[in-house]
Amino acid sequence: MRVVISIGGSVLAPDLDADRVAGHASAVERLVDEGCEVGAVVGGGGVARDYIGAARELGANEVQLDQIGIDVTRINARLLIAALSGLSAPSPAHDYEAAGEALRRGDVPVMGGVMPGQTTDAVAAALAEYVDADLLVYATSVDGVFSADPNGDGDAEQYDCLTGAELVDLITPMSRGAGASAPVDLLAAKLIERSEMRTVVLDGTDPGRIAPAVLRGDHSGTDVVPAGCDDAGPWDR
Ligand code: UTP
C-alpha cells in the first residue's frame, strides 16, 4: 500500500521532545517494515505560529509570514528525517517531483510546506494525488472531523464517514472568519474531493494509532470515502 501521512506540527512537535518525534518515526518505520511505501508531510505547529506572530508585529506581509511558516515546517521535517535515520531522503523535498523521485528510489520522502497561501494539509493532499497514494492519513490533535470545533463546542458531533463532497461542504463555512478551526484546510478538502482520495482523519497525539489505521483501517477517527461509506477500501475485511 502507498500512503501519505500528514503529521500536524502540534502533534509532532508541540514542544521540542525528541521521544515524541522518535515515536512518529517509529510509526513510519513500522509501516515500511510492513511493506508500505510511505511519504510524510510535517506541519509547523506552535513554533510556526510564534514566529509568524512576531514577524506580523514587525510588519511582515502575509507572503513573508507564510515563507517563515514554510521554513519552520521544513525544520520540523528535518527533525523527522533525523529520527528516521537513513530511511528517508536526506533533506525535505521542496516539490512533488522530488518527493515522487524519492519514493521511487525506495526512500521515505519528507515534506514541509511548498508555497505561500496554503498549509501543509494541502501539501499532503497534493502529494497523495501526485504519487497516486492508496490512502492519505491526517494525524491531527482531534480525533476526526466534527460538526463544530470539539475544543470549543460541547455539542460537536464526530462524523464516522464522509464523502469528499460532504467534507468540502462541511469545511467551507468553518474556513470563514478569523480563528476558524477546521480539521483540514479547504484547499486540502477540495483536492481530496477532486482526486477521490481515500482519507482518514485521526488523533495522532499517540503515534501508535497510525499503523493500525493504515494497515487494517482500525481507528476511531473519520473516514473520507469518495465511493461511499460501504466501500471497504484497501483492506480485506
Ligand atoms: P501548517 O501546515 O503547520 O499550518 O503550516 P497550520 O495548519 O496552521 O498548523 P497546525 O496544523 O494547526 O499545526 C504553518 C504555516 O506555514 C505556512 C502557513 O503560513 C501556515 O500557517 N505554509 C505552510 C505555507 O504558506 N505554505 C505551505 O505549503 C505550508
Side-chain angles (χ1 to χ4, degrees), residues 77-108:
R78 284 193 186 275
L79 267 184
L80 184 64
I81 287 169
L84 283 169
S85 51
L87 205 62
S88 69
S91 58
H94 288 195
D95 58 50
Y96 303 110
E97 286 88 350
E101 278 165 21
L103 203 64
R104 276 194 295 281
R105 279 199 309 270
D107 288 339
V108 173

Side-chain angles (χ1 to χ4, degrees), residues 15 19-20 22 32-33 52 71 82 108 111 113 117 120 124 143 146 150 156 172 184 187 203 210 216 222 231:
D15 44 24
D19 288 342
R20 187 177 291 109
V32 171
D33 286 347
I52 287 170
D71 283 347
V108 173
M111 299 186 78
T120 52
D143 199 19
F146 286 74
T172 302
V184 296
L187 177 57
D203 178 358
I210 294 172
R216 300 189 296 279
T222 299
D231 176 3

Side-chain angles (χ1 to χ4, degrees), residues 12-24:
L12 180 78
D15 44 24
L16 268 185
D17 179 351
D19 288 342
R20 187 177 291 109
V21 179
H24 283 280

Side-chain angles (χ1 to χ4, degrees), residues 9-10 43-45 48-49 52 65-66 69-70 73 113-121 123:
S10 45
R49 276 192 290 278
I52 287 170
L65 298 179
D66 282 344
I70 291 167
T73 63
V114 294
M115 64 172 193
Q118 59 177 41
T119 75
T120 52
D121 294 344
V123 177

